[in-house]
Amino acid sequence: MILSNILIKKKLITKEQLDQALELKNAKGMRLDRALIQIGAISEKDLLNVLGEELHLPVVNLSQVQADPEAIKLLPTKLVYRRGVMPLSLKIIDGASTLEVAMSNPFDLEALDDIQVLTGKRVRAVLGIEAEVERLIKEYYGLGGDTINELTGGLNENSTEDIQNEDLMEMAQEASVIKLVNEIIVEAVNERASDIHVEPYENELSIRYRIDGVLHPASVPAQIHQLQAAIISRIKILANLNIAERRLPQDGRIKFQVGGRQIDVRVSVIPMIFGEGIVMRILDKASVLFTLPQLGMDEETFAHFEQLIDRPHGIILVTGPTGSGKTTTLYASLNAIVGQDIKVLTVEDPVEYNLRGVNQIPVDHQVGMTFEKGLRAILRHDPDVVMIGEIRDLETAQAAVQASLTGHLVLSTLHTNDSCSAPMRLTDMGIEPYLVSSTLIGSMAQRLVRKLCNICKESYKPNLKKVPSDLILTEEDHLYRATGCDACRQTGYKGRSGVYELMLMNDEIANLITHRAPTYEVVAAARKNGLRLLREDGWLKVKRGITDVNEVVRNTAI
């Protein structure tokens, strides 16, 4: 019986959905089953169950499968990638040595014939979800394993001389190298990585993805270090950098289209003892442009911060270390402010994302376009709100203060560990304390903690003697912890949330700043004014099941 008739008979799809899928199939030349999945007519799991039942093939959950190394050795990388089959185990079935392989396309009988001829063994197919088959292939054969195998031509680990002596420009332009670099970047985007780290060592090229703030090694074959020079040259070509310059740091940018989304990749190249190290920052507009309510502020902090950004003038500072989400908070703030009746101007180094309705100016140190020069220039453009990417020096700080005094709302970032240190940091730069106290209207410190995966997190009753002393719990309280599932790549975490510490200026705090009082006195006054510390905000998120104790301890100090 034809697949479409079976699905309609089982009432898993409608005639209208079948017609829509057939139209897509004919337009794009794809299989009918993939077309049905793409239009959302049926889930891949339900479809596999039907196919397994009709073809008498078992359907296997591959998320927890451990492949047999002996089975893996039987199939070459190129065949595995080309046919989309994953060897799982070697078994004796009915007295015959049988190779069990997982596949998502049960109609590819030619693949099974090829495997049988190649291995001389009986082949037994099991069905698995396509993404899980691909994940296993990457895990055991390495990302881009087929490409690397083709390029190295089966060379042993030490046979790199020929590759190193190739013309780098020619090799970097080879289709296989282009494909490999594209696969590395696309895999990072699909894994929600914020950065790709390419790190050369003596006999190894390490590729790691930073996902939710934590580095994870990418599954790449060991032979990838043989292609180190070609991979690095290809990335430099994409970023319009000089491939012949290997002694000085270089910075560039790459634009990519991934799944219909525009992805910007910021590239930094630094010479190291075993080659050049590269870090690629992935700037995905879809993953960073949040609205203020999506950032993770509790209701009270959100209400106070919303009042701050509605003020007509003053300086608002967002503080924290690199990678703590400061720029994301500023962009969310600008999105909340921007409108037809307000002119917003920014000075950024670099401009990471284009914001509709916001006039953005890039810093360019090569031509002398600094934060300070840009800020002084844009004040003549009659802005209502000004955003400075970062206050780094006295000149930029003075310009920000001057902008605030002349009736502008100024938003910027500052590198301090907590919110109450921000005014002291400005005075340390050389700003007079009375100017700080009269222009600063609020400072907010923030950190990012990983959120527990909503699918697999589990509730538990904590041992009160083993939790941190400042986490106040009762005998009845239950917390949540990470376990791991397919949705979160077995990490137990998916996505991140901010923890916040908002200091609001009042007369007492302003007086302390004017008289250069130490930070601990400012903290005491802010506490009386309702300040909640970063760690305390983190404990609130722990009690609500958003994150766990380990994440708060890792990202905040007592």
Side-chain angles (χ1 to χ4, degrees):
M1 188 179 286
I2 299 173
L3 174 63
S4 55
N5 294 340
I6 296 170
L7 295 175
I8 289 175
K9 184 178 179 181
K10 289 179 175 286
K11 297 184 178 179
L12 292 172
I13 63 169
T14 64
K15 181 67 169 62
E16 292 73 20
Q17 289 172 325
L18 175 61
D19 292 340
Q20 186 182 349
L22 286 169
E23 189 176 328
L24 180 64
K25 170 183 176 291
N26 295 331
K28 295 194 174 182
M30 62 196 309
R31 297 195 332 247
L32 177 61
D33 57 331
R34 307 317 298 177
L36 286 167
I37 293 168
Q38 186 165 322
I39 66 170
I42 189 171
S43 71
E44 186 173 3
K45 185 177 179 181
D46 288 342
L47 185 59
L48 283 179
N49 286 332
V50 171
L51 288 171
E53 184 181 326
E54 293 298 319
L55 299 173
H56 306 291
L57 295 175
V59 179
V60 178
N61 179 4
L62 299 174
S63 60
Q64 304 291 340
V65 166
Q66 295 290 321
D68 182 352
E70 294 303 315
I72 291 171
K73 290 176 185 176
L74 290 174
L75 295 187
T77 305
K78 193 170 184 178
L79 173 68
V80 169
Y81 270 91
R82 190 176 75 246
R83 291 297 191 180
V85 294
M86 175 65 202
L88 297 180
S89 64
L90 271 173
K91 297 178 179 176
I92 302 298
I93 300 178
D94 297 331
S97 180
T98 304
L99 175 63
E100 185 178 74
V101 297
M103 59 196 310
S104 61
N105 178 14
F107 306 110
D108 191 1
L109 301 179
E110 189 179 335
L112 300 179
D113 291 340
D114 287 349
I115 294 170
Q116 188 160 339
V117 170
L118 180 68
T119 63
K121 298 183 182 298
R122 183 187 293 174
V123 180
R124 176 176 179 261
V126 300
L127 299 183
I129 290 174
E130 184 175 35
E132 283 301 318
V133 175
E134 290 177 356
R135 181 188 64 79
L136 278 178
I137 291 172
K138 287 173 186 173
E139 181 179 337
Y140 286 94
Y141 287 88
L143 178 67
D146 56 333
T147 306
I148 292 167
N149 192 58
E150 179 183 328
L151 283 166
T152 57
L155 293 174
N156 64 42
E157 288 295 300
N158 300 314
S159 301
T160 59
E161 187 177 346
D162 291 339
I163 292 177
Q164 298 296 337
N165 290 335
E166 289 274 0
D167 185 295
L168 281 180
M169 177 65 82
E170 289 183 13
M171 192 165 187
Q173 298 285 25
E174 281 190 17
S176 297
V177 173
I178 293 171
K179 179 187 173 190
L180 176 60
V181 172
N182 288 351
E183 284 180 2
I184 291 169
I185 296 175
V186 170
E187 178 76 1
V189 172
N190 291 338
E191 293 288 350
R192 303 178 298 106
S194 60
D195 302 87
I196 306 170
H197 292 245
V198 182
E199 302 160 322
Y201 297 100
E202 187 171 11
N203 296 307
E204 178 190 358
L205 182 68
S206 167
I207 297 179
R208 297 190 289 173
Y209 298 145
R210 188 176 294 280
I211 303 170
D212 292 334
V214 178
L215 282 169
H216 298 269
S219 296
V220 292
Q223 312 96 284
I224 197 169
H225 81 271
Q226 299 174 45
L227 303 171
Q228 174 180 317
I231 291 169
I232 290 171
S233 295
R234 175 60 191 166
I235 294 170
K236 289 167 78 174
I237 289 169
L238 286 171
N240 293 315
L241 302 178
N242 182 359
I243 69 166
E245 179 56 75
R246 302 176 199 171
R247 302 161 300 171
L248 296 172
Q250 297 186 70
D251 295 308
R253 204 158 187 160
I254 305 170
K255 286 188 181 292
F256 261 92
Q257 281 280 120
V258 179
R261 288 148 52 201
Q262 180 70 46
I263 304 293
D264 280 0
V265 181
R266 214 164 68 204
V267 180
S268 174
V269 184
I270 297 179
M272 297 180 179
I273 56 174
F274 295 114
E276 290 172 290
I278 295 180
V279 172
M280 292 180 275
R281 166 65 60 89
I282 298 171
L283 306 172
D284 182 359
K285 197 169 186 177
S287 67
V288 79
L289 289 184
F290 295 99
T291 60
L292 276 177
Q294 293 175 318
L295 296 180
M297 296 181 198
D298 70 279
E299 291 181 9
E300 184 181 351
T301 303
F302 174 73
H304 287 313
F305 191 73
E306 203 171 31
Q307 289 171 4
L308 282 183
I309 62 176
D310 282 339
R311 298 273 285 272
H313 55 80
I315 298 175
I316 302 170
L317 296 175
V318 181
T319 77
T322 301
S324 59
K326 300 187 299 294
T327 302
T328 299
T329 298
L330 289 185
Y331 279 167
S333 303
L334 293 183
N335 272 332
I337 293 169
V338 71
Q340 292 292 329
D341 56 339
I342 288 179
K343 178 156 185 173
V344 180
L345 280 161
T346 75
V347 187
E348 303 172 62
D349 181 20
V351 174
E352 293 192 1
Y353 301 97
N354 299 323
L355 298 174
R356 183 175 176 81
V358 177
N359 300 273
Q360 296 170 276
I361 301 168
V363 166
D364 189 343
H365 294 286
Q366 290 184 343
V367 297
M369 179 61 174
T370 62
F371 276 116
E372 185 264 337
K373 279 190 178 179
L375 185 52
R376 292 193 185 282
I378 65 177
L379 292 182
R380 295 192 288 274
H381 276 241
D382 187 31
D384 297 291
V385 178
V386 174
M387 185 194 98
I388 311 168
E390 183 184 344
I391 295 178
R392 299 177 180 173
D393 50 42
L394 175 60
E395 291 73 22
T396 307
Q398 287 173 331
V401 168
Q402 190 60 39
S404 171
L405 290 172
T406 52
H408 303 88
L409 181 66
V410 179
L411 289 82
S412 188
T413 68
L414 198 65
H415 284 289
T416 65
N417 289 328
D418 55 59
S419 59
C420 296
S421 297
M424 309 312 156
R425 180 79 182 95
L426 293 176
T427 57
D428 288 344
M429 284 181 179
I431 302 296
E432 289 295 332
Y434 74 90
L435 289 175
V436 176
S437 62
S438 59
T439 56
L440 184 66
I441 59 176
S443 64
M444 184 167 71
Q446 69 177 72
R447 301 289 189 276
L448 293 177
V449 294
R450 290 185 293 173
K451 294 196 293 186
L452 291 169
C453 175
N454 285 325
I455 295 174
C456 66
K457 67 181 180 183
E458 67 175 17
S459 173
Y460 73 102
K461 197 167 184 178
N463 183 336
L464 299 186
K465 294 179 181 178
K466 292 185 178 181
V467 298
S469 58
D470 56 326
L471 174 54
I472 309 302
L473 298 172
T474 67
E475 293 287 349
E476 288 74 33
D477 283 331
H478 282 74
L479 302 181
Y480 288 85
R481 60 188 168 202
T483 55
C485 66
D486 296 345
C488 60
R489 301 175 70 252
Q490 308 301 325
T491 63
Y493 303 94
K494 190 170 185 181
R496 289 191 286 179
S497 175
V499 292
Y500 300 94
E501 175 185 299
L502 178 60
M503 184 194 79
L504 301 170
M505 188 66 74
N506 63 10
D507 291 341
E508 183 182 1
I509 296 172
N511 185 56
L512 289 170
I513 293 169
T514 302
H515 290 89
R516 296 181 182 272
T519 301
Y520 71 85
E521 290 187 18
V522 175
V523 172
R527 297 280 276 171
K528 287 193 290 183
N529 195 36
L531 175 75
R532 181 191 297 124
L533 299 179
L534 280 169
R535 197 165 172 100
E536 293 169 345
D537 192 47
W539 294 144
L540 284 179
K541 289 178 168 59
V542 167
K543 292 177 181 179
R544 292 171 185 166
I546 296 170
T547 188
D548 62 14
V549 173
N550 292 336
E551 277 297 294
V552 174
V553 170
R554 186 171 68 88
N555 287 283
T556 64
I558 295 177

